[in-house]
Amino acid sequence: MSEKPAGADIPESTVGSQVSPVSQMSSMSGWVSGSVSDVWQSSPPGSIYDYIRIASFSLGSDGRITQWSERAAELLGLTASQAVGQDPVDAFMPAELRETGRRKVADILDGREWTGLVPYRSPQAPGEVGIAEVYVMPSQDEDGERTALCIAVDVSALRGLETDLAASQAVFGQSPLGFFLFGTDLRMLRVNERFATVFGRPVEEYRGATAHDLLPRGEADRLAAALRQVVDTGQSLTDMPIMGPVPGGHDRRRWSVSLYRLHSGSGRPIGVAGLATDVTGRRRAEQEAAGVRRNLALLNEAGARIGTSLDLETTARELLDVAVPQFCDLASVDLYQGLLSGDETPPGLADGSAELRRVAFASAVSDGPVAFGDVYRTDDSGQGELPKPIEVGEVHRYPFHSLCAHALRTAQVRVVTGRDSGESLELGAILQSTLLVPMVARDTVVGLAQFSRTKGSEPFGERDRALAVELAARAAVSIDNARLYRREHERALILQRSLLPPGDPEAAGLDIACRYLPGNAATEVGGDWFDVIELPGHRTALVVGDVMGRGLRAAVAMGELRTAVRTLALLDLEPAEVLSALDEIARGLGAPGGSNAGARAKGRSDGSSDLSEVYLATCVYAVYDPVTRRCTFANAGHLPPALVEPGEGALLMEVPPGMPLGVGGEPFEEIEVELPDGALLALYTDGLVESRDHALDEGLQDLRTALSTHEGADRTDGSLEDVCDHVLSRLDTHHGEDDIALLMARVQGLPSDAVGDWELPSDPQSVGKARELAREALESWGMDGLADTTELLVSELVTNALRYGEGEIRLRLLLDRTLVCEVWDGNLVQPRRRRARDTDEGGRGLQLVGLLSAGWGSRRTPHGKTVWFELALPDGESSGPDSVEALLSLW
């Protein structure tokens, strides 16, 4: 205490009445303006005496108490009336110590200063003795007699203050944390050694400093505002982040600052204490941990979002959706144009000079594309390089010496630093750094991904490079899968479309409309099919079938069955015979080498065959004759056709269902129905009416309702296309459970004036009669240009019927889109075309028919056979084959 008086570390402004008013006023913390009287009137004591209650009293020349302060009364427990005039020894010293006390008082009155410890009766603890430190200062009264002024302090209070100061000094001076004190004028009063070490200045230089002397302007303004807030409100502030450079260095440091207001013993604010902790390392570790967590989250997101589609462009956009803005500010994806087109190894793939197409671009900072790093494209002439940003969808090449081409060539990541600010923004001046990441899948580079960060962002580090490679690799695998899928899908689609009839099939006496909806819109490959086959005599075969199963396997089986149907139809077999032959073909599809059904059945019985290779299909086959208006139906397990007659509602035809193709062992039945002109026939597959959401009967009823409610369904002038669209819109065709095939045909029939039908006797004169009838019919139809050829060919067919046939002869001419001539006889033997030798006098009739006609053939009838030929109608530009030349060519 004697070495360092109490209050030495406290500003002079807190000494109170022990200094002059002017001195106190000039050093008072927080005092800005005002008069001396203002200070005396408004400022509380607020000094060390608030912590130490000092008692004072005076002794007269007789050694008795002459004055007694109120604090003496509080300390010693005696009022002024009790103490004044009393011997101080008798007044407050214990009895056993009074003798010694009197001797001390006598010495004091000898005129010497004295300081010592004096025991007293403690009023706070009756029966106990307290110790007071007393300071006696000799004085004189007005008569010159010796008196004394005494000051007493309780020793326990001094010891507590000393302990508190020592503890405060230890914490302040020895703590590894930076402590500092600001006055209410926001100037520094004191800092500890740790704080001074961090900021690189001696301790004494901080006295009187402000926040702006320590930190950059922005951070200093924040700290000053926080200090003022704490001074004004008294609310503490914890973990306030402050950033700034270390004095004499360039490293930016980060501190966590906590502030709280200091008060005097009377409660007056005297400043702000602060604790500053250097958290740069902790912040860096947090950033590292946050970066790792962000990368893991980004990879997790990439795994969930990249590759959800088998579309190349969609997959590229998914990569950029993950990368921007979580990983970078701008990004793009370029894929090799050759690979997109289906080529396995496009030219230039190995050296990175092949054509690429930009399939995706994303930016968080610009609306349009920006040139990345050294990304330039060669102009069309190949004479130079244009620093033009590449648009999405643009096909381009990277110059051989560019970093992009090098990255593609070596499959190694390249880093491009940002360009200086002298360049225009569109040429990359806004970029901080760019990663050029080859997209590698199955050891093949499929393209290049570019990730860029703008200036103001942190440049890419090693962890970022690894993350970019991982993102690009995941996208590359998905893109390569999409590429392979697209290639196989296109092949399957070509196969599927090649197996379906053209979009607008035509048939004599029929108005045709059709629809095909794949169950899987992504593949468009299935087992449903329909067909419209022109038969001799302007007849038409209508076919709708459904191979059980889905996908490419079903499509292949469908293709084989459709080809078989067309082949069997051209043989002009009856519908039931066509289905019987088709059943045998279906039973042999799944067996190795197409072995017969018996062998397959035997294989299944001994467990050697895979039941999954059994091909089953349903099919309905109908043949319509526009002359007779009759249609013959045969069914193999398929749903019944729907018929709408003029003025009537839709009904389901009672066609014997039969067994599906591939089951075998059961014959097929057929029925013949006469269809009036204007009738509407609808053939369909089960995908149109069957769904897991409702029963089959309900779907069939919905089909009948849809056909009955459309106003054009039973009208000859209504559009069949509209009827198809109406049916598909009314029924649930978007369930995606099965393929849908719908074939509609409105019956028109051939008008009677377009048909010539004559019975001829089995007589040689019938040849001439047949020629006359044919010419008269053609002239009445306005087909004079076909008369000569028709006469010649009719003559040949009738002559053959007379020579090789039996019974009466029937001649029929049919005029529609072509001219068809049919000659009927009662012999079942089919004509066979042969090549006559030069010496033969005959045998050239059918050769002549083949040379002059567009087509010819024969078919069996219930009572014999029919031989026919077909001639194209004249179009005014070509006259057809010359009969004379044709005759001469036979020799």
Side-chain angles (χ1 to χ4, degrees):
M1 292 291 293
S2 60
E3 296 177 358
K4 191 172 186 180
D9 290 331
I10 301 177
E12 294 179 356
S13 60
T14 62
V15 176
S17 60
Q18 298 303 310
V19 296
S20 67
V22 176
S23 175
Q24 183 185 32
M25 187 165 52
S26 63
S27 60
M28 183 74 68
S29 175
W31 181 85
V32 178
S33 62
S35 63
V36 174
S37 60
D38 291 336
V39 176
W40 282 103
Q41 290 175 4
S42 60
S43 297
S47 67
I48 193 173
Y49 302 112
D50 293 333
Y51 302 94
I52 305 174
R53 309 293 286 182
I54 300 177
S56 63
F57 59 94
S58 60
L59 300 178
S61 58
D62 58 358
R64 294 184 179 276
I65 301 173
T66 58
Q67 290 183 337
W68 191 255
S69 67
E70 291 182 1
R71 287 194 177 182
E74 294 175 3
L75 176 64
L76 301 175
L78 298 174
T79 64
S81 60
Q82 293 174 333
V84 174
Q86 297 292 323
D87 185 340
V89 176
D90 296 334
F92 56 80
M93 291 188 65
E96 65 273 13
L97 300 176
R98 289 174 182 172
E99 184 63 31
T100 305
R102 290 190 181 92
R103 288 198 301 272
K104 294 295 184 182
V105 172
D107 292 338
I108 292 171
L109 294 177
D110 285 345
R112 293 175 296 174
E113 289 187 1
W114 181 84
T115 301
L117 301 178
V118 177
Y120 69 94
R121 293 191 298 269
S122 174
Q124 289 80 17
E128 295 185 5
V129 177
I131 303 296
E133 184 175 299
V134 180
Y135 178 39
V136 180
M137 297 172 287
S139 61
Q140 294 180 350
D141 59 11
E142 65 274 10
D143 298 330
E145 296 291 337
R146 290 190 176 275
T147 60
L149 178 63
C150 301
I151 298 175
V153 179
D154 184 66
V155 172
S156 62
L158 291 175
R159 295 296 177 265
L161 179 61
E162 183 180 30
T163 301
D164 292 343
L165 289 175
S168 298
Q169 182 63 25
V171 172
F172 196 85
Q174 301 174 19
S175 173
L177 305 178
F179 278 97
F180 58 88
L181 299 177
F182 275 90
T184 55
D185 60 352
L186 305 189
R187 290 184 175 274
M188 272 195 169
L189 301 176
R190 187 178 180 187
V191 299
N192 66 349
E193 290 291 342
R194 177 58 182 168
F195 186 92
T197 300
V198 169
F199 281 91
R201 300 179 184 177
V203 173
E204 56 273 9
E205 291 188 12
Y206 287 97
R207 187 176 296 273
T210 65
H212 290 81
D213 298 326
L214 305 175
L215 298 169
R217 181 180 181 84
E219 295 296 289
D221 290 342
R222 290 180 57 242
L223 179 58
L227 289 170
R228 176 54 59 194
Q229 178 182 348
V230 173
V231 169
D232 293 342
T233 64
Q235 295 181 352
S236 299
L237 189 151
T238 59
D239 292 331
M240 175 183 176
I242 294 293
M243 293 184 62
V246 177
H250 300 287
D251 294 339
R252 292 178 62 85
R253 309 292 293 177
R254 182 182 292 269
W255 296 278
S256 175
V257 175
S258 297
L259 305 174
Y260 58 94
R261 192 169 69 179
L262 293 177
H263 303 86
S264 67
S266 63
R268 181 176 66 87
I270 61 174
V272 178
L275 174 66
T277 305
D278 190 340
V279 295
T280 305
R282 184 177 69 188
R283 178 62 178 174
R284 186 177 295 112
E286 290 175 352
Q287 290 177 338
E288 291 287 330
V292 172
R293 288 194 298 270
R294 183 196 66 213
N295 291 353
L296 290 176
L298 203 60
L299 288 176
N300 183 60
E301 184 181 3
R305 297 181 60 181
I306 298 177
T308 60
S309 170
L310 288 174
D311 180 75
L312 294 169
E313 290 78 5
T314 301
T315 303
R317 287 193 296 269
E318 289 171 346
L319 168 62
L320 301 193
D321 289 342
V322 172
V324 179
Q326 295 93 325
F327 177 68
C328 62
D329 300 315
L330 300 99
S332 70
V333 174
D334 297 324
L335 299 179
Y336 278 116
Q337 177 69 8
L339 296 179
L340 294 176
S341 303
D343 298 338
E344 291 294 334
T345 54
L349 183 64
D351 60 12
S353 63
E355 286 187 339
L356 296 106
R357 176 157 58 92
R358 177 145 298 175
V359 295
F361 172 81
S363 172
V365 296
S366 66
D367 296 331
V370 175
F372 290 76
D374 76 345
V375 176
Y376 292 90
R377 66 181 181 89
T378 304
D379 62 9
D380 296 335
S381 63
Q383 299 300 318
E385 299 170 6
L386 295 177
K388 177 185 176 183
I390 302 170
E391 301 286 345
V392 174
E394 183 177 355
V395 178
H396 61 94
R397 297 176 186 267
Y398 290 122
F400 182 82
H401 56 78
S402 67
L403 291 178
C404 293
H406 184 272
L408 291 169
R409 200 162 47 243
T410 61
Q412 299 295 322
V413 180
R414 297 301 302 267
V415 180
V416 183
T417 58
R419 300 181 179 276
D420 57 38
S421 58
E423 293 188 82
S424 58
L425 291 179
E426 65 269 21
L427 297 184
I430 63 172
L431 301 183
Q432 171 78 281
S433 61
T434 299
L435 288 177
L436 309 178
V437 186
M439 305 180 71
V440 183
R442 301 176 179 91
D443 298 327
T444 300
V445 179
V446 298
L448 183 71
Q450 302 181 56
F451 306 100
S452 289
R453 289 179 179 173
T454 57
K455 291 183 177 179
S457 304
E458 294 186 3
F460 291 111
E462 287 299 323
R463 185 182 293 108
D464 296 322
R465 292 182 60 172
L467 177 61
V469 170
E470 179 65 22
L471 291 175
R474 294 192 179 195
V477 171
S478 298
I479 286 174
D480 195 52
N481 289 340
R483 178 183 66 85
L484 295 175
Y485 166 78
R486 174 181 288 185
R487 184 186 66 188
E488 297 304 321
H489 173 252
E490 288 177 351
R491 294 175 179 176
L493 195 57
I494 292 172
L495 170 64
Q496 174 80 7
R497 290 174 176 172
S498 68
L499 298 178
L500 294 176
D504 298 315
E506 296 181 354
L510 292 176
D511 184 12
I512 304 291
C514 51
R515 293 289 188 275
Y516 177 79
L517 300 178
N520 186 348
T523 60
E524 301 187 25
V525 176
D528 289 13
W529 90 92
F530 63 91
D531 211 344
V532 178
I533 308 171
E534 294 187 63
L535 300 178
H538 284 317
R539 295 172 303 136
T540 303
L542 304 176
V543 188
V544 169
D546 182 5
V547 176
M548 297 182 184
R550 301 177 65 180
L552 186 60
R553 177 177 177 271
V556 172
M558 176 270 285
E560 296 188 41
L561 292 178
R562 177 178 179 269
T563 302
V565 169
R566 295 187 69 87
T567 303
L568 294 171
L570 294 178
L571 295 177
D572 217 350
L573 302 176
E574 295 298 325
E577 294 177 329
V578 170
L579 293 185
S580 296
L582 199 62
D583 177 55
E584 290 294 328
I585 294 173
R587 295 172 69 191
L589 286 180
S595 58
N596 59 32
R600 292 182 65 230
K602 180 179 179 181
R604 288 196 295 271
S605 65
D606 60 14
S608 61
S609 178
D610 184 4
L611 292 179
S612 65
E613 292 299 315
V614 175
Y615 285 83
L616 298 178
T618 63
C619 180
V620 60
Y621 185 89
V623 176
Y624 173 69
D625 188 339
V627 178
T628 63
R629 271 81 165 172
R630 303 189 69 81
C631 188
T632 305
F633 294 90
N635 191 357
H638 204 79
L639 294 174
L643 179 64
V644 184
E645 295 188 5
E648 303 291 338
L651 55 88
L652 300 179
M653 302 183 66
E654 296 182 359
V655 179
M659 298 298 292
L661 302 176
V663 174
E666 295 292 334
F668 295 98
E669 300 180 38
E670 61 184 40
I671 63 169
E672 189 176 58
V673 179
E674 184 172 350
L675 302 178
D677 284 350
L680 177 64
L681 183 65
L683 306 179
Y684 52 91
T685 57
D686 56 1
L688 181 67
V689 295
E690 191 174 27
S691 172
R692 66 184 66 181
D693 297 329
H694 55 74
L696 177 60
D697 291 342
E698 182 180 344
L700 292 172
Q701 181 59 41
D702 291 341
L703 173 62
R704 294 178 57 191
T705 302
L707 289 172
S708 300
T709 55
H710 192 275
E711 61 181 9
D714 60 349
R715 288 168 41 194
T716 58
D717 58 346
S719 172
L720 268 189
E721 298 293 335
D722 292 342
V723 178
C724 281
D725 294 337
H726 174 73
V727 170
L728 294 178
S729 63
R730 287 291 301 269
L731 301 180
D732 180 18
T733 58
H734 302 287
H735 48 70
E737 298 172 9
D738 199 0
D739 306 326
I740 296 174
L742 175 62
L743 176 62
M744 286 189 175
R746 177 175 284 119
V747 175
Q748 303 294 343
L750 288 180
S752 58
D753 58 0
V755 178
D757 195 350
W758 305 276
E759 298 286 343
L760 300 175
S762 180
D763 187 276
Q765 296 179 354
S766 295
V767 177
K769 183 63 176 178
R771 288 198 299 267
E772 293 177 6
L773 294 173
R775 177 173 288 277
E776 291 174 358
L778 291 175
E779 289 176 350
S780 66
W781 292 337
M783 297 293 169
D784 298 12
L786 297 178
D788 294 339
T789 303
T790 304
E791 278 191 78
L792 177 60
L793 299 185
V794 165
S795 177
E796 290 293 335
L797 295 187
V798 172
T799 299
N800 285 343
L802 290 172
R803 181 176 298 178
Y804 305 109
E806 298 177 359
E808 291 187 345
I809 300 171
R810 181 181 177 187
L811 172 65
R812 190 167 72 169
L813 294 179
L814 307 176
L815 179 63
D816 191 68
R817 293 177 296 114
T818 60
L819 176 67
V820 173
C821 175
E822 299 175 326
V823 177
W824 309 51
D825 67 72
N827 194 339
L828 295 176
V829 178
Q830 299 292 314
R832 181 171 61 87
R833 180 179 177 180
R834 64 183 181 86
R835 179 171 294 278
R837 294 187 296 269
D838 294 342
T839 57
D840 291 343
E841 295 182 359
R844 296 178 178 84
L846 293 181
Q847 293 185 48
L848 181 64
V849 172
L851 287 172
L852 295 179
S853 67
W856 76 279
S858 66
R859 68 177 186 274
R860 292 180 300 171
T861 64
H863 306 290
K865 68 177 182 295
T866 300
V867 182
W868 57 271
F869 67 83
E870 185 176 10
L871 294 177
L873 301 182
D875 55 7
E877 296 181 1
S878 59
S879 59
D882 186 274
S883 57
V884 176
E885 293 293 335
L887 287 172
L888 293 177
S889 67
L890 297 179
W891 281 273

